[in-house]
Amino acid sequence: DAMVIQNPRYQVTQFGKPVTLSCSQTLNHNVMYWYQQKSSQAPKLLFHYYDKDFNNEADTPDNFQSRRPNTSFCFLDIRSPGLGDAAMYLCATSRVPGQGPYNEQFFGPGTRLTVL
Amino acid sequence: AQKITQTQPGMFVQEKEAVTLDCTYDTSDPSYGLFWYKQPSSGEMIFLIYQGSYDQQNATEGRYSLNFQKARKSANLVISASQLGDSAMYFCAMREQDYGQNFVFGPGTRLSVLP
């Protein structure tokens, strides 16, 4: 089945220790997104890639970086995690809307990050 | 201003009854899409139903239907015959033509189905 895969599902890191979360997709979608979601809140968009074009949200801290080496893979790097970065990180993909905004996002299962 | 408003932080419904989750949105873009997602406690976001701004009929997918009132800018989700497995967070989201790839999510409604 075509899908969005995130690894690991659970990640524990120490304060200030860099961590990388990975996302892969078999859907061949042009657009990949990274969201941060804290408990009982809506997902907050960090950035997205449209093919190789990187689009950063204005309020995404510099501590968060991303790489997309090819269509299938996208990585989220947190350079110096703080306690406030503990959250669920969701990766999603989407086709380009084309003539209209008709295409839904497909989400991975998420990576729950704990910062000690 | 909030683009997506979900005024019900939490809802309770009896098993087998219908429930309506409210969503209002704000856009000046004539072309947009509205989406509902379900997020169980396990964390994955599950796509439920879609409504396009130019769609003449309300969307339906099994037990889910969308009550789309364009003039009022509302897109309420109706779940018929609630099941215990429907207990989850529900998010309304919008994608606007002019904003390309970005989805905007509402704050969510936590639905609890009572046996």
Side-chain angles (χ1 to χ4, degrees), chain A residues 9-10 31 33 35 37 40-43 45 48 50 57 88 90 94-110 112, chain B residues 31-35 37 39 41-47 50 52-55 89 91 95-97 100-108 110:
Chain A
R9 294 292 307 277
Y10 300 90
V31 191
Y33 306 79
Y35 289 90
Q37 187 181 28
S40 299
Q41 295 182 19
L45 181 64
H48 75 268
Y50 180 172
E57 291 300 295
M88 174 76 90
L90 294 166
S94 174
R95 289 186 292 269
V96 175
Q99 293 303 313
Y102 305 127
N103 298 316
E104 73 271 28
Q105 288 181 313
F106 292 81
F107 283 84
R112 191 171 295 280
Chain B
S31 179
Y32 53 90
L34 297 158
F35 305 82
Y37 287 86
Q39 188 177 39
S41 56
S42 54
E44 76 272 26
M45 294 279 275
I46 302 166
F47 167 71
Y50 164 83
S53 58
Y54 293 120
D55 293 343
M89 281 289 284
F91 291 98
R95 190 179 198 179
E96 298 165 280
Q97 177 73 35
Q101 318 318 324
N102 282 7
F103 286 74
V104 177
F105 284 83
R110 183 172 297 281

Side-chain angles (χ1 to χ4, degrees), chain B residues 3-20:
Chain B
K3 287 219 164 194
I4 300 282
T5 303
Q6 295 179 253
T7 57
Q8 307 149 315
M11 289 277 288
F12 290 89
V13 65
Q14 210 68 39
E15 194 179 7
K16 299 180 186 174
E17 301 210 335
V19 63
T20 297

Side-chain angles (χ1 to χ4, degrees), chain B residues 82-95:
Chain B
S82 298
Q83 301 172 356
L84 295 178
D86 294 334
S87 294
M89 281 289 284
Y90 288 80
F91 291 98
C92 179
M94 178 171 65
R95 190 179 198 179

Side-chain angles (χ1 to χ4, degrees), chain B residues 4 8-9 18 22 32-34 48 57 59 61 74 78 85 91 100 114:
Chain B
I4 300 282
Q8 307 149 315
D22 294 342
Y32 53 90
L34 297 158
L48 296 177
Q57 300 207 338
E61 288 286 348
S74 76
V78 181
F91 291 98
L114 305 173

